[in-house]
Amino acid sequence: MNKLLPKIEELKPINDSRLTFSETPLTKDFNLLDFKNKLQVINDIVRETMIFDKYPDPSNEIETLIGDTYTASLASIDYLKSIGLGTNYRCVIAQRRKFDPIDLPTTHIVVLVDDDSGNTYQFDCSPMAGYKCGRVEAINKERFYENYVEIKGDIATFIGEIRKLTFQIKNGNYDNELVYRFFQILEDAKSHEILAGFRFEGYTLLSQISKNKIEQARFLESANSCNPYFKKADSILYRNKLLERQISFWKEELQDLIPTDQDYERQLELAQNIVQALKILNSSYERYLNIDGKNIEFSYISPRLFYELGLNVVLLKPSSFKLGVTATIKERFLDKGAGAIAGYYSNIGQPTELTGIKPMRMFHPHGYKYERSMTGPCYAFLIKEDAQELLMTKHVLRKELGKNIANHNVMWYDGKEIVWDPIITNLVHTTDDACEASMHYLSAYPEYQLMNRFMYPNPRLRKVVKK
């Protein structure tokens, strides 16, 4: 088991509303929580301690927590067993959401786990933002999928072989013999209809590495037989219509919630469902963080990633732009010669363009109090620096800058005056740890956040400084 997964005694309640993560399930002792909320806390911890990799190394994925939905599911079962939570654990392929066509293939894997009374819960620990990712629910109340097929016997063997050979091929460790063996395994896997998604991905990969046009066509034809939505205009149109209809349902519910200013967690879930679905219809909705020449999808940004890279966030607030000191602040944080890793401009005091949810409501439990002061230009950037060092620099800057206009009225970006207050116009925000950093870097894009303020933060990612 990965050393970053905490023991139960390390899980301390968070119930001070001044703290970012005070609205998680763990507001009292872990042992006093009901079964569902205990599962939810463990689900949160596993997801944020993962680094997503579509093609993981099956030989060490559970130990490293680097991988995909299957990795997360296997690791979660190990973790649940180690802390004695639940029984009858199963990794299952989750097939057909309410809005999916009947024959849409899938490779999505979740965990089913029972409580002591035999009630079954779906535990989706997928390390990404997406439909029901991160949700725990009793499936006798609501089935998120029409069918669950347990990964055991031949199915487990086929998936294991497919993943092992995929890893070898993606890393260039293959020859014609291995390619033939992979193709034969994909052909043999026809005996299990549920494996169509895995076979489709396998055939597609073979078509990409093949230099023989006849072989390439053969592999593409095999891929086409597994997935009726692969390059078939009529089928794609049908799938898209079902998805568009579901998006309209989500939008309708969201637009009812936003004006009432209620249930921010549900608002965030709906907004993420909408945007993740829009990405399927149009890839231009995807957003990326580029680090060292590698593009990482926003939806895969986890606290573990920031922990491993030693990254924290500096956020220049509208007050720093109003005072004209953004260059001074940047220079102070970057005075060691290391530039910002990445950054972007935004206005997090305004609703997002994609769904209309309010970023400051997702930023912090008291975020709504600062919506007006955060309405204006903002700039968030990543820096390789310890959180305590950033904190000290931030406090020094706040004392030095803006003291001459403290408590004076200043014309704000909305055309009205605002009182220059050291609480709301304090120039700059920095993050305290990897959990907060991965969330606050995406403060302008809450629809893409893997980590959000309703999740319980892994204490080992918060207290341990990565060396």
Side-chain angles (χ1 to χ4, degrees):
M1 191 167 70
N2 190 282
K3 64 182 180 181
L4 290 176
L5 294 176
K7 297 177 180 179
I8 293 300
E9 53 266 30
E10 296 176 64
L11 307 181
K12 306 300 181 184
I14 303 174
N15 47 31
D16 183 342
S17 67
R18 293 170 298 178
L19 301 176
T20 301
F21 300 104
S22 62
E23 293 184 10
T24 78
L26 193 55
T27 56
K28 56 186 176 182
D29 187 272
F30 182 84
N31 292 318
L32 298 178
L33 298 178
D34 62 26
F35 185 74
K36 177 187 172 185
N37 278 321
K38 287 178 180 177
L39 284 180
Q40 188 63 64
V41 170
I42 300 305
N43 190 300
D44 293 346
I45 289 171
V46 171
R47 292 181 71 227
E48 63 205 45
T49 316
M50 290 278 301
I51 292 178
F52 181 81
D53 189 338
K54 186 173 175 60
Y55 308 106
D57 183 350
S59 69
N60 64 9
E61 59 186 323
I62 298 176
E63 291 77 19
T64 62
L65 285 181
I66 298 175
D68 56 7
T69 63
Y70 195 21
T71 312
S73 297
L74 291 170
S76 292
I77 289 176
D78 273 7
Y79 193 20
L80 290 169
K81 286 180 177 178
S82 75
I83 61 175
L85 182 59
T87 185
N88 193 21
Y89 318 93
R90 295 90 84 199
C91 275
V92 299
I93 302 171
Q95 183 183 36
R96 198 181 177 203
R97 299 166 294 184
K98 294 177 181 178
F99 48 88
D100 283 337
I102 293 174
D103 48 0
L104 185 70
T106 183
T107 59
H108 193 66
I109 296 172
V110 303
V111 173
L112 296 184
V113 56
D114 295 351
D115 63 16
D116 291 336
S117 301
N119 299 305
T120 299
Y121 292 78
Q122 176 178 302
F123 180 103
D124 189 334
C125 48
S126 303
M128 63 195 73
Y131 174 78
K132 297 303 178 184
C133 294
R135 310 300 295 184
V136 172
E137 209 58 73
I139 63 171
N140 61 337
K141 294 182 179 179
E142 179 184 7
R143 292 179 71 91
F144 301 141
Y145 296 88
E146 186 176 288
N147 191 29
Y148 299 99
V149 177
E150 186 172 358
I151 300 174
K152 62 181 182 178
D154 285 348
I155 292 176
T157 301
F158 279 126
I159 292 177
E161 284 297 304
I162 289 170
R163 294 174 88 242
K164 182 174 70 175
L165 295 175
T166 296
F167 174 75
Q168 288 182 246
I169 291 172
K170 293 299 289 187
N171 285 274
N173 184 21
Y174 65 93
D175 53 20
N176 288 337
E177 184 180 343
L178 185 141
V179 169
Y180 176 76
R181 182 157 65 92
F182 192 21
F183 178 74
Q184 198 57 54
I185 288 170
L186 297 175
E187 289 291 292
D188 292 344
K190 286 180 180 179
S191 55
H192 297 280
E193 187 179 344
I194 191 65
L195 296 177
F198 294 91
R199 292 175 55 237
F200 168 73
E201 291 188 352
Y203 290 130
T204 303
L205 176 59
L206 289 179
S207 73
Q208 292 168 349
I209 65 169
S210 176
K211 297 178 181 178
N212 183 305
K213 289 188 177 181
I214 296 176
E215 262 193 354
Q216 206 174 70
R218 182 187 181 192
F219 293 144
L220 285 173
E221 183 181 354
S222 296
N224 188 60
S225 69
C226 302
N227 185 355
Y229 303 90
F230 181 53
K231 298 184 178 180
K232 289 185 180 179
D234 290 345
S235 296
I236 293 172
L237 183 62
Y238 172 62
R239 182 208 65 180
N240 289 354
K241 282 184 177 180
L242 293 178
L243 197 52
E244 287 164 355
R245 185 174 69 171
Q246 183 61 45
I247 289 171
S248 69
F249 292 150
W250 285 329
K251 284 184 175 180
E252 185 177 350
E253 183 183 350
L254 182 58
Q255 292 314 308
D256 285 341
L257 285 175
I258 291 174
T260 62
D261 204 30
Q262 294 178 355
D263 203 345
Y264 298 141
E265 188 173 6
R266 177 59 177 167
Q267 287 187 34
L268 182 60
E269 181 184 6
L270 289 166
Q272 292 196 343
N273 287 349
I274 291 166
V275 171
Q276 301 308 315
L278 288 173
K279 284 161 50 178
I280 295 173
L281 299 174
N282 188 337
S283 61
S284 67
Y285 284 100
E286 190 55 85
R287 301 286 182 273
Y288 297 92
L289 166 64
N290 186 283
I291 296 181
D292 295 330
K294 181 181 179 181
N295 279 332
I296 302 168
E297 292 183 19
F298 273 10
S299 299
Y300 297 146
I301 293 176
S302 68
R304 168 75 181 286
L305 175 68
F306 278 21
Y307 172 85
E308 294 293 337
L309 296 175
L311 298 177
N312 268 295
V313 175
V314 176
L315 174 64
L316 304 184
K317 300 182 179 182
S319 50
S320 67
F321 287 86
K322 179 63 71 172
L323 197 62
V325 293
T326 55
T328 300
I329 294 174
K330 281 184 187 177
E331 183 180 355
R332 195 73 64 88
F333 281 110
L334 302 172
D335 64 358
K336 295 180 181 178
I341 307 298
Y344 67 91
Y345 290 92
S346 65
N347 182 343
I348 61 175
Q350 292 292 315
T352 67
E353 292 183 10
L354 286 175
T355 63
I357 61 172
K358 299 174 180 178
M360 288 305 297
R361 311 292 167 113
M362 313 302 164
F363 192 90
H364 189 278
H366 292 178
Y368 66 94
K369 298 177 181 178
Y370 307 99
E371 251 174 7
R372 187 178 173 221
S373 63
M374 294 301 290
T375 299
C378 302
Y379 183 70
F381 64 90
L382 293 174
I383 183 172
K384 260 188 182 175
E385 184 62 87
D386 176 70
Q388 289 303 311
E389 294 290 332
L390 295 180
L391 181 65
M392 288 189 289
T393 302
K394 174 178 72 177
H395 285 324
V396 170
L397 285 165
R398 286 178 173 178
K399 287 181 180 180
E400 288 181 1
L401 304 174
K403 57 186 177 182
N404 294 332
I405 60 169
N407 300 315
H408 286 65
N409 287 341
V410 176
M411 189 61 66
W412 202 241
Y413 293 95
D414 57 7
K416 300 176 183 179
E417 290 187 340
I418 192 172
V419 176
W420 196 271
D421 184 299
I423 301 298
I424 65 169
T425 50
N426 55 14
L427 307 175
V428 61
H429 165 73
T430 61
T431 49
D432 296 332
D433 51 65
C435 293
E436 195 175 74
S438 67
M439 182 180 77
H440 282 177
Y441 184 69
L442 298 182
S443 54
Y445 298 94
E447 296 96 342
Y448 295 81
Q449 287 174 336
L450 183 161
M451 184 72 194
N452 63 66
R453 71 176 183 86
F454 306 105
M455 294 169 61
Y456 183 77
N458 182 342
R460 294 197 180 183
L461 293 179
R462 305 189 82 190
K463 295 180 180 179
V464 180
V465 178
K466 183 76 169 70
K467 299 297 184 182

